[in-house]
Amino acid sequence: MSEIPTSTNGGRGGRKPYIDTLKLVAVFIVYACHFIRQYHGDYFLKLYYERPWSFLFHGVTGTLGVAFFCVCVGYFAFQSRNRNPLSYLVRRYAYFVLCGFAINLTVALLNNDLSYHVVGVSVRLGYQYFPEYWCMFHFFVASILSYFNAFYKVDGAFIILEMILLCSFGKIWMAICLLGNLAVLAQKRETFSKIMGHRAVRLLLLLVAFVIIKREENDTTYLLYGFASFLLLLVVENSKLLKRLLGFRLFSAPGRNEIAIYLFHTVFYMQFGPLFFKLFGNLAYGLAFVLTLASCWLLLLLVSFPVNFVLEKIMAAVTKRINALLDSPAPS
């Protein structure tokens, strides 16, 4: 997904609390869709295909959540302050390997399947242990592309050409990440900022984004999900009210742990879902289902803080070591 804190990610700019909140919402969408499909597919179908719920929820899928993360990855990677390409490349790879190892090891331990393959899968950024990790390889490559786009100061036309080439090779999710690059370039244009300053324009873009996601999922609509996420990001970036509301610390603080939440959300609802549902067993099924979903989510948020703290500390140590290796003089 996106990155752990500024000090460990190879030079990203300052945090934006309102985007932390948006990322948390995106992870919740992924979590809720996985949870509903796991425990009651009929509920999922009602939300998506039966009126009046279909009007609100159809298109709000885990794929949409991933698409928003794609745009955020490209958005932040394009603004990296690291001026050493090799340093950025090594740190990003180490970051994704660390995240992969954390979830692969956890899943392997729970399944009594611990072997040297955990290390190999993590190094390859594979997802044999944890299928939801599939997007990390795409995020890694896209963040490198975004970094070099910024490093060489390419223009929007070149980025669009890259996106077309990526799509032609079937790398749609990498192309979606590059929409984040375009968002940065758009924000830098004074004319664009003036246009986005009008509330009517922002409301129109929100309406367009809402309409775009109302369709069945396929490779083409994934790009549309990315474009809808791109519009949402631009609307929030140009709305003082939305930035103030979404920047409320109660929401943004857990959003800083989005990687920990995303990595472990499946583990939590699989391990604790049955326990919570049994606890609420005397209630009506629908209420017990909602309370179970909410309880697993809140527990996941609480646990994400120590998990993210450990990931930060390990990544800080790895970064320090990488710096020492890259800065050391070459042997004579």
Side-chain angles (χ1 to χ4, degrees), residues 13-324:
R15 298 199 73 95
K16 296 185 175 182
Y18 50 92
I19 295 184
D20 285 333
T21 300
L22 285 175
K23 289 186 292 183
L24 184 65
V25 172
V27 176
F28 177 77
I29 291 173
V30 175
Y31 158 81
C33 290
H34 287 167
F35 185 98
I36 293 171
R37 281 174 168 162
Q38 173 68 31
Y39 288 105
H40 205 309
D42 291 344
Y43 271 52
F44 186 82
L45 292 176
K46 287 181 178 179
L47 289 173
Y48 275 70
Y49 298 112
E50 292 188 11
R51 296 181 178 179
W53 303 112
S54 61
F55 176 75
L56 292 175
F57 292 105
H58 186 65
V60 182
T61 66
T63 309
L64 178 63
V66 175
F68 186 78
F69 260 104
C70 284
V71 176
C72 286
V73 167
Y75 183 80
F76 287 119
F78 194 77
Q79 299 179 84
S80 173
R81 295 177 181 175
N82 191 327
R83 305 321 303 164
N84 185 327
L86 179 59
S87 172
Y88 184 85
L89 176 62
V90 174
R91 291 175 186 175
R92 293 302 293 153
Y93 177 69
Y95 168 74
F96 282 104
V97 169
L98 169 64
C99 291
F101 182 73
I103 187 59
N104 289 332
L105 180 61
T106 301
V107 174
L109 288 172
L110 290 172
N111 294 327
N112 297 316
D113 185 27
L114 185 61
S115 70
Y116 68 91
H117 292 298
V118 172
V119 176
V121 169
S122 303
V123 169
R124 297 193 304 271
L125 303 182
Y127 52 91
Q128 286 86 341
Y129 285 92
F130 182 60
E132 282 80 4
Y133 197 72
W134 65 266
C135 55
M136 291 303 184
F137 176 75
H138 300 265
F139 287 174
F140 168 68
V141 175
S143 64
I144 301 303
L145 287 175
S146 298
Y147 172 82
F148 280 103
N149 283 342
F151 188 79
Y152 290 107
K153 299 180 180 179
V154 303
D155 59 16
F158 186 86
I159 294 172
I160 292 174
L161 177 61
E162 284 181 311
M163 293 174 61
I164 294 173
L165 289 174
L166 287 170
C167 289
S168 67
F169 286 106
K171 306 301 181 183
I172 293 175
W173 293 106
M174 295 181 191
I176 293 174
C177 289
L178 298 191
L179 284 170
N181 298 187
L182 295 178
V184 176
L185 292 179
Q187 282 294 105
K188 291 181 178 180
R189 291 185 174 275
E190 185 176 350
T191 303
F192 178 82
S193 297
K194 289 182 178 179
I195 294 174
M196 290 298 296
H198 297 286
R199 184 180 300 174
V201 173
R202 297 196 298 272
L203 290 174
L204 177 61
L205 292 185
L206 283 178
L207 178 61
V208 171
F210 181 78
V211 172
I212 283 175
I213 67 174
K214 301 299 177 180
R215 60 197 69 250
E216 299 303 316
E217 288 188 1
N218 56 52
D219 288 349
T220 302
T221 54
Y222 293 163
L223 277 173
L224 293 177
Y225 282 166
F227 186 65
S229 302
F230 167 81
L231 294 179
L232 175 61
L233 182 61
L234 290 179
V235 168
V236 173
E237 281 284 29
N238 291 276
S239 172
K240 293 181 180 179
L241 177 61
L242 288 177
K243 287 195 286 189
R244 190 181 309 119
L245 292 175
L246 294 171
F248 189 51
R249 185 170 176 78
L250 179 64
F251 305 127
S252 65
R256 300 185 62 168
N257 306 332
E258 81 281 357
I259 280 293
I261 298 170
Y262 177 80
L263 287 176
F264 292 96
H265 77 273
T266 301
V267 173
F268 262 74
Y269 72 68
M270 292 293 288
Q271 296 297 316
F272 296 101
L275 297 177
F276 281 118
F277 191 77
K278 186 176 181 180
L279 178 65
F280 302 124
N282 293 328
L283 303 174
Y285 183 89
L287 180 58
F289 181 84
V290 171
L291 290 176
T292 301
L293 183 147
S295 298
C296 286
W297 174 251
L298 292 175
L299 181 61
L300 177 59
L301 292 185
L302 290 175
V303 173
S304 72
F305 284 95
V307 170
N308 194 67
F309 177 80
V310 172
L311 287 175
E312 283 186 35
K313 293 300 180 184
I314 296 175
M315 193 60 198
V318 170
T319 298
K320 184 177 181 180
R321 181 60 178 165
I322 291 172
N323 286 342

